[in-house]
Amino acid sequence: MTEKVKHVLGLSGGKDSSALALFVKETYPELDVEYFFTDTGYELPETNEFIDQLEEKLGYIHRLNARSLNNIEGRGEKDFAHLLKEHGNYLPSQRDRWCTVQMKLKPFEQWLDGFIKDGYKIKNYVGIRADEPERTGYMTIEKPIESVFPFREHGIVRSDIENILQRNGLELPEYYKWRSRSGCTFCFYQRKIEWVKLMEKHPDLFEEAKAFEKGDDENTTVGERFYWMGQGQPLETLEDPAVQKRIIENHEKKVARFNRKKRRNALLGDFEGYCEFNELDDIYDEAEGGGACVTCYK
């Protein structure tokens, strides 16, 4: 009996997963790949626009959310407030990334369960590159899901990604002009400069993120108040022009230092034309992704 295999590839709206989808389509045209985007309802407008552009290149992309999993068309439901209450108004953080589990992984697993129930083995294509040996993909021992890493198999590294996008008629998503990664509008992995930019570019989304910090006094964890930027750092502090000025000046100093470093290192080539926020992890001397969930930002 022939084994039934379902090939799936997740798109975060980030550059790596997008390049992977295009690369797999080019390299393995015989594969029937199901593309999906787990739409939390709190994606940046620029992310949704880029997913629409990708769909023109790839074909249909499943939008996984509460509506689509019940065969209803539409963007993701705005249900974070409900989830926040369930978690005692404890905002997700690096210590407890419950947002990824509830808003990304659970819809993905629910979607796959339908294929598994029909007897399919799942091959899940992941955009981890050859220069990321420490990273892993989605792993489970309970379900017939195998992670596949085409970039590793073909030696694709970070410097190849933009090339893949461009030869397919795409540029980097617009949010890279002011933010380092895709993910929810209120992602706690944002640096202060990115919060300042969110306030500038999308003031309504900044206000929404602020509102989640207020929580619900009748349903909170041990009476504490939680903030996206950490203890004692509410987003409203960023509305002070003096605070904004200090954050921007600090960022500009780090960018200048990064540029000097690139000039000194001939192996990195000409620094002109680089995308500042695309290289924000390097500018801040942090590991790529800054610890953020691969599911969200790749």
mmCIF file of all heavy atoms in Angstrom, residues 4 8 12 27 65 83 87 89 103 106 119 141 143 149 154 167 187 201 215 217 227 241 249-250 269 274 285 295:
data_model
loop_
_atom_site.group_PDB
_atom_site.id
_atom_site.type_symbol
_atom_site.label_atom_id
_atom_site.label_comp_id
_atom_site.label_asym_id
_atom_site.label_seq_id
_atom_site.Cartn_x
_atom_site.Cartn_y
_atom_site.Cartn_z
ATOM 1 N N LYS A 4 0.593 7.519 2.329
ATOM 2 C CA LYS A 4 -0.007 8.828 2.057
ATOM 3 C C LYS A 4 0.796 9.901 2.789
ATOM 4 O O LYS A 4 0.942 9.842 4.008
ATOM 5 C CB LYS A 4 -1.467 8.848 2.526
ATOM 6 C CG LYS A 4 -2.366 7.901 1.748
ATOM 7 C CD LYS A 4 -3.742 7.785 2.389
ATOM 8 C CE LYS A 4 -4.522 9.073 2.312
ATOM 9 N NZ LYS A 4 -5.906 8.912 2.876
ATOM 10 N N VAL A 8 3.518 20.091 3.973
ATOM 11 C CA VAL A 8 3.011 21.378 4.440
ATOM 12 C C VAL A 8 4.179 22.323 4.701
ATOM 13 O O VAL A 8 5.274 21.889 5.086
ATOM 14 C CB VAL A 8 2.144 21.238 5.716
ATOM 15 C CG1 VAL A 8 0.972 20.295 5.466
ATOM 16 C CG2 VAL A 8 2.966 20.758 6.910
ATOM 17 N N SER A 12 5.382 32.660 8.086
ATOM 18 C CA SER A 12 5.184 33.579 9.204
ATOM 19 C C SER A 12 4.994 35.009 8.715
ATOM 20 O O SER A 12 4.587 35.880 9.483
ATOM 21 C CB SER A 12 6.393 33.535 10.135
ATOM 22 O OG SER A 12 7.528 34.085 9.483
ATOM 23 N N THR A 27 12.574 24.237 -6.658
ATOM 24 C CA THR A 27 13.472 23.081 -6.600
ATOM 25 C C THR A 27 12.741 21.751 -6.659
ATOM 26 O O THR A 27 13.268 20.761 -7.191
ATOM 27 C CB THR A 27 14.326 23.150 -5.310
ATOM 28 O OG1 THR A 27 14.885 24.471 -5.185
ATOM 29 C CG2 THR A 27 15.455 22.135 -5.333
ATOM 30 N N ASN A 65 -7.022 29.947 11.414
ATOM 31 C CA ASN A 65 -7.565 30.694 12.536
ATOM 32 C C ASN A 65 -8.896 30.058 12.925
ATOM 33 O O ASN A 65 -9.335 29.077 12.309
ATOM 34 C CB ASN A 65 -7.745 32.174 12.175
ATOM 35 C CG ASN A 65 -8.569 32.378 10.914
ATOM 36 O OD1 ASN A 65 -9.681 31.875 10.806
ATOM 37 N ND2 ASN A 65 -8.022 33.109 9.945
ATOM 38 N N LEU A 83 -8.054 35.096 25.884
ATOM 39 C CA LEU A 83 -6.944 34.249 26.324
ATOM 40 C C LEU A 83 -6.215 34.876 27.510
ATOM 41 O O LEU A 83 -5.778 34.172 28.431
ATOM 42 C CB LEU A 83 -5.960 34.026 25.170
ATOM 43 C CG LEU A 83 -6.459 33.167 24.003
ATOM 44 C CD1 LEU A 83 -5.469 33.238 22.845
ATOM 45 C CD2 LEU A 83 -6.656 31.723 24.439
ATOM 46 N N HIS A 87 -5.488 33.415 31.399
ATOM 47 C CA HIS A 87 -4.157 33.329 32.004
ATOM 48 C C HIS A 87 -3.986 34.335 33.139
ATOM 49 O O HIS A 87 -2.868 34.722 33.484
ATOM 50 C CB HIS A 87 -3.066 33.530 30.938
ATOM 51 C CG HIS A 87 -2.913 32.361 30.021
ATOM 52 N ND1 HIS A 87 -3.773 32.118 28.965
ATOM 53 C CD2 HIS A 87 -2.013 31.334 30.018
ATOM 54 C CE1 HIS A 87 -3.400 31.009 28.339
ATOM 55 N NE2 HIS A 87 -2.348 30.521 28.961
ATOM 56 N N ASN A 89 -4.559 37.469 33.391
ATOM 57 C CA ASN A 89 -3.954 38.738 32.968
ATOM 58 C C ASN A 89 -2.429 38.708 33.010
ATOM 59 O O ASN A 89 -1.783 39.763 33.055
ATOM 60 C CB ASN A 89 -4.475 39.920 33.798
ATOM 61 C CG ASN A 89 -5.867 40.327 33.371
ATOM 62 O OD1 ASN A 89 -6.210 40.260 32.200
ATOM 63 N ND2 ASN A 89 -6.684 40.711 34.327
ATOM 64 N N MET A 103 -1.957 30.576 20.066
ATOM 65 C CA MET A 103 -2.354 31.294 18.863
ATOM 66 C C MET A 103 -1.659 30.816 17.594
ATOM 67 O O MET A 103 -2.095 31.144 16.490
ATOM 68 C CB MET A 103 -2.106 32.787 19.060
ATOM 69 C CG MET A 103 -2.871 33.357 20.244
ATOM 70 S SD MET A 103 -2.385 35.049 20.701
ATOM 71 C CE MET A 103 -3.104 35.984 19.358
ATOM 72 N N LYS A 106 -1.487 25.571 18.403
ATOM 73 C CA LYS A 106 -2.753 24.835 18.498
ATOM 74 C C LYS A 106 -3.557 24.856 17.197
ATOM 75 O O LYS A 106 -4.048 23.807 16.759
ATOM 76 C CB LYS A 106 -3.583 25.355 19.675
ATOM 77 C CG LYS A 106 -3.099 24.819 21.015
ATOM 78 C CD LYS A 106 -4.097 25.078 22.126
ATOM 79 C CE LYS A 106 -3.635 24.391 23.415
ATOM 80 N NZ LYS A 106 -4.611 24.634 24.513
ATOM 81 N N GLY A 119 -5.238 9.410 7.508
ATOM 82 C CA GLY A 119 -4.173 8.440 7.238
ATOM 83 C C GLY A 119 -2.901 9.012 6.644
ATOM 84 O O GLY A 119 -2.047 8.258 6.163
ATOM 85 N N ILE A 141 6.710 13.530 19.304
ATOM 86 C CA ILE A 141 6.861 12.070 19.222
ATOM 87 C C ILE A 141 5.499 11.402 19.214
ATOM 88 O O ILE A 141 5.395 10.185 19.110
ATOM 89 C CB ILE A 141 7.710 11.528 20.400
ATOM 90 C CG1 ILE A 141 7.056 11.898 21.746
ATOM 91 C CG2 ILE A 141 9.134 12.065 20.329
ATOM 92 C CD1 ILE A 141 7.728 11.271 22.946
ATOM 93 N N LYS A 143 2.849 12.301 17.112
ATOM 94 C CA LYS A 143 2.135 12.348 15.840
ATOM 95 C C LYS A 143 3.106 12.096 14.690
ATOM 96 O O LYS A 143 4.294 12.383 14.802
ATOM 97 C CB LYS A 143 1.459 13.720 15.674
ATOM 98 C CG LYS A 143 0.413 14.013 16.743
ATOM 99 C CD LYS A 143 -0.207 15.391 16.570
ATOM 100 C CE LYS A 143 -1.232 15.651 17.662
ATOM 101 N NZ LYS A 143 -1.866 16.986 17.545
ATOM 102 N N PHE A 149 14.286 20.111 6.247
ATOM 103 C CA PHE A 149 15.055 21.355 6.218
ATOM 104 C C PHE A 149 15.772 21.523 4.876
ATOM 105 O O PHE A 149 16.984 21.308 4.773
ATOM 106 C CB PHE A 149 16.075 21.357 7.359
ATOM 107 C CG PHE A 149 15.471 21.116 8.713
ATOM 108 C CD1 PHE A 149 15.481 19.844 9.275
ATOM 109 C CD2 PHE A 149 14.883 22.149 9.427
ATOM 110 C CE1 PHE A 149 14.929 19.613 10.526
ATOM 111 C CE2 PHE A 149 14.325 21.933 10.681
ATOM 112 C CZ PHE A 149 14.344 20.653 11.228
ATOM 113 N N HIS A 154 20.639 22.054 1.077
ATOM 114 C CA HIS A 154 21.207 22.725 -0.100
ATOM 115 C C HIS A 154 22.236 23.795 0.263
ATOM 116 O O HIS A 154 22.691 24.524 -0.624
ATOM 117 C CB HIS A 154 20.085 23.333 -0.943
ATOM 118 C CG HIS A 154 19.226 22.310 -1.628
ATOM 119 N ND1 HIS A 154 19.454 21.897 -2.930
ATOM 120 C CD2 HIS A 154 18.158 21.601 -1.179
ATOM 121 C CE1 HIS A 154 18.542 20.991 -3.258
ATOM 122 N NE2 HIS A 154 17.744 20.793 -2.220
ATOM 123 N N ARG A 167 14.690 37.172 -7.077
ATOM 124 C CA ARG A 167 14.564 36.490 -8.374
ATOM 125 C C ARG A 167 13.137 36.001 -8.619
ATOM 126 O O ARG A 167 12.788 35.610 -9.727
ATOM 127 C CB ARG A 167 15.571 35.348 -8.485
ATOM 128 C CG ARG A 167 15.303 34.126 -7.629
ATOM 129 C CD ARG A 167 16.338 33.059 -7.953
ATOM 130 N NE ARG A 167 16.140 31.834 -7.220
ATOM 131 C CZ ARG A 167 17.024 31.262 -6.404
ATOM 132 N NH1 ARG A 167 18.214 31.832 -6.223
ATOM 133 N NH2 ARG A 167 16.761 30.120 -5.791
ATOM 134 N N CYS A 187 4.281 41.830 20.156
ATOM 135 C CA CYS A 187 5.285 40.836 20.541
ATOM 136 C C CYS A 187 6.240 41.406 21.590
ATOM 137 O O CYS A 187 6.835 42.466 21.407
ATOM 138 C CB CYS A 187 6.079 40.362 19.328
ATOM 139 S SG CYS A 187 7.314 39.104 19.752
ATOM 140 N N LYS A 201 4.160 54.376 13.516
ATOM 141 C CA LYS A 201 3.589 53.843 12.273
ATOM 142 C C LYS A 201 2.127 53.416 12.429
ATOM 143 O O LYS A 201 1.321 53.590 11.510
ATOM 144 C CB LYS A 201 4.407 52.638 11.802
ATOM 145 C CG LYS A 201 5.877 52.919 11.520
ATOM 146 C CD LYS A 201 6.064 53.733 10.261
ATOM 147 C CE LYS A 201 7.548 53.906 9.945
ATOM 148 N NZ LYS A 201 7.755 54.721 8.739
ATOM 149 N N GLY A 215 -5.148 45.169 31.866
ATOM 150 C CA GLY A 215 -5.736 43.941 32.384
ATOM 151 C C GLY A 215 -7.115 44.137 32.976
ATOM 152 O O GLY A 215 -7.891 44.994 32.564
ATOM 153 N N ASP A 217 -8.788 44.179 36.921
ATOM 154 C CA ASP A 217 -8.503 44.134 38.354
ATOM 155 C C ASP A 217 -9.215 42.991 39.069
ATOM 156 O O ASP A 217 -8.795 42.565 40.147
ATOM 157 C CB ASP A 217 -8.890 45.462 39.017
ATOM 158 C CG ASP A 217 -7.952 46.587 38.606
ATOM 159 O OD1 ASP A 217 -6.779 46.289 38.317
ATOM 160 O OD2 ASP A 217 -8.399 47.748 38.570
ATOM 161 N N TYR A 227 3.677 44.102 32.207
ATOM 162 C CA TYR A 227 3.976 45.025 31.125
ATOM 163 C C TYR A 227 4.794 44.328 30.038
ATOM 164 O O TYR A 227 5.642 43.492 30.339
ATOM 165 C CB TYR A 227 4.749 46.231 31.658
ATOM 166 C CG TYR A 227 4.026 46.967 32.761
ATOM 167 C CD1 TYR A 227 4.487 46.915 34.075
ATOM 168 C CD2 TYR A 227 2.872 47.702 32.499
ATOM 169 C CE1 TYR A 227 3.814 47.580 35.098
ATOM 170 C CE2 TYR A 227 2.194 48.374 33.504
ATOM 171 C CZ TYR A 227 2.670 48.297 34.798
ATOM 172 O OH TYR A 227 1.994 48.954 35.802
ATOM 173 N N PRO A 241 8.282 62.522 25.290
ATOM 174 C CA PRO A 241 9.248 62.890 24.243
ATOM 175 C C PRO A 241 10.702 62.728 24.681
ATOM 176 O O PRO A 241 11.565 62.366 23.872
ATOM 177 C CB PRO A 241 8.910 64.357 23.961
ATOM 178 C CG PRO A 241 7.475 64.483 24.339
ATOM 179 C CD PRO A 241 7.288 63.580 25.522
ATOM 180 N N GLU A 249 18.328 58.163 20.246
ATOM 181 C CA GLU A 249 19.755 58.496 20.257
ATOM 182 C C GLU A 249 20.602 57.263 20.567
ATOM 183 O O GLU A 249 21.661 57.056 19.951
ATOM 184 C CB GLU A 249 20.021 59.590 21.287
ATOM 185 C CG GLU A 249 19.533 60.957 20.848
ATOM 186 C CD GLU A 249 19.738 62.024 21.919
ATOM 187 O OE1 GLU A 249 20.077 61.641 23.072
ATOM 188 O OE2 GLU A 249 19.548 63.219 21.611
ATOM 189 N N ASN A 250 20.154 56.440 21.495
ATOM 190 C CA ASN A 250 20.881 55.216 21.832
ATOM 191 C C ASN A 250 20.925 54.270 20.633
ATOM 192 O O ASN A 250 21.960 53.664 20.327
ATOM 193 C CB ASN A 250 20.221 54.535 23.021
ATOM 194 C CG ASN A 250 20.933 53.258 23.426
ATOM 195 O OD1 ASN A 250 22.112 53.260 23.759
ATOM 196 N ND2 ASN A 250 20.209 52.138 23.384
ATOM 197 N N GLY A 269 32.097 42.758 3.127
ATOM 198 C CA GLY A 269 31.812 43.499 1.895
ATOM 199 C C GLY A 269 31.263 44.890 2.170
ATOM 200 O O GLY A 269 31.260 45.396 3.287
ATOM 201 N N TYR A 274 22.390 48.378 3.143
ATOM 202 C CA TYR A 274 21.880 47.366 4.055
ATOM 203 C C TYR A 274 20.552 47.839 4.637
ATOM 204 O O TYR A 274 20.246 49.034 4.666
ATOM 205 C CB TYR A 274 22.894 47.077 5.166
ATOM 206 C CG TYR A 274 22.849 48.022 6.328
ATOM 207 C CD1 TYR A 274 22.256 47.664 7.517
ATOM 208 C CD2 TYR A 274 23.388 49.306 6.219
ATOM 209 C CE1 TYR A 274 22.197 48.543 8.586
ATOM 210 C CE2 TYR A 274 23.335 50.184 7.271
ATOM 211 C CZ TYR A 274 22.738 49.809 8.455
ATOM 212 O OH TYR A 274 22.690 50.677 9.499
ATOM 213 N N ASP A 285 24.040 43.333 18.958
ATOM 214 C CA ASP A 285 24.930 42.259 19.413
ATOM 215 C C ASP A 285 24.171 41.116 20.060
ATOM 216 O O ASP A 285 24.558 40.591 21.107
ATOM 217 C CB ASP A 285 25.981 42.799 20.401
ATOM 218 C CG ASP A 285 27.010 43.677 19.705
ATOM 219 O OD1 ASP A 285 27.346 43.387 18.552
ATOM 220 O OD2 ASP A 285 27.475 44.650 20.325
ATOM 221 N N THR A 295 8.570 29.839 15.120
ATOM 222 C CA THR A 295 7.233 29.745 14.528
ATOM 223 C C THR A 295 6.689 31.121 14.153
ATOM 224 O O THR A 295 5.991 31.270 13.154
ATOM 225 C CB THR A 295 6.257 29.087 15.528
ATOM 226 O OG1 THR A 295 6.768 27.806 15.893
ATOM 227 C CG2 THR A 295 4.871 28.943 14.935
#
